[in-house]
């Protein structure tokens, strides 16, 4: 059962401008420590930040809650990489609570994320589905 689908396209140049203009004030407000550590270790820093920004926007759309509404903040959604390198989202705070409310009883929600970039754009798509906790 699909609970939500979200997609976002972010202009990497816009993220470059925010990084130049606001620096740590921007990154500390929007990104988790894990996301900042990864992006700051990469040569194409803005590209990495842009993909994660797009993922957060796409996640908020898939949740259907928006950002700064319904108690969901930027840092409540964090992109991490699994051991095999596959990106996924970890929700906490208001985003996690919102997901729990929208997940039907007896089901478990899964978040599927794909991110890509081709300068000057970064794109993300999020699909949230729910599966039964146990088979009938």
């Amino acid at each position: 059962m699909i609970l939500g689908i979200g997609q976002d396209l972010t202009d990497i140049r816009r993220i470059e401008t925010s990084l130049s203009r606001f620096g740590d004030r921007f990154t500390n407000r929007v990104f988790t420590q894990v996301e900042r550590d990864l992006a700051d270790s990469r040569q194409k820093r803005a590209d990495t930040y842009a993909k994660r920004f797009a993922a957060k926007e796409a996640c908020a759309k898939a949740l259907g809650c928006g950002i700064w509404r319904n108690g969901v903040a930027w840092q409540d959604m964090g992109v991490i990489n699994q051991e095999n390198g596959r990106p996924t989202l970890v929700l906490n705070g208001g985003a996690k609570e919102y997901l729990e409310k929208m997940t039907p009883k007896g089901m478990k929600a899964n978040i599927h994320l794909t991110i890509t970039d081709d300068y000057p754009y970064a794109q993300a798509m999020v699909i949230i589905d729910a599966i039964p906790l146990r088979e009938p």
Side-chain angles (χ1 to χ4, degrees), residues 68-117:
W68 295 119
R69 292 190 337 234
N70 301 299
V72 176
W74 286 107
Q75 289 197 24
D76 290 348
M77 301 166 282
V79 177
I80 63 164
N81 291 88
Q82 297 173 341
E83 286 184 23
N84 63 3
R86 180 181 175 187
T88 189
L89 281 155
V90 174
L91 305 187
N92 59 64
K96 183 178 180 181
E97 291 173 16
Y98 201 87
L99 179 61
E100 288 170 355
K101 287 179 189 173
M102 68 186 281
T103 304
K105 290 191 188 307
M107 300 191 93
K108 176 187 183 273
N110 297 303
I111 301 173
H112 307 277
L113 167 66
T114 184
I115 54 178
T116 191
D117 68 288

Side-chain angles (χ1 to χ4, degrees), residues 38-54:
L38 178 66
D40 292 342
S41 73
R42 296 216 169 142
Q43 185 175 11
K44 292 187 175 185
R45 179 177 179 238
D47 297 29
T48 301
Y49 276 124
K51 286 186 281 190
R52 277 137 185 85
F53 187 89

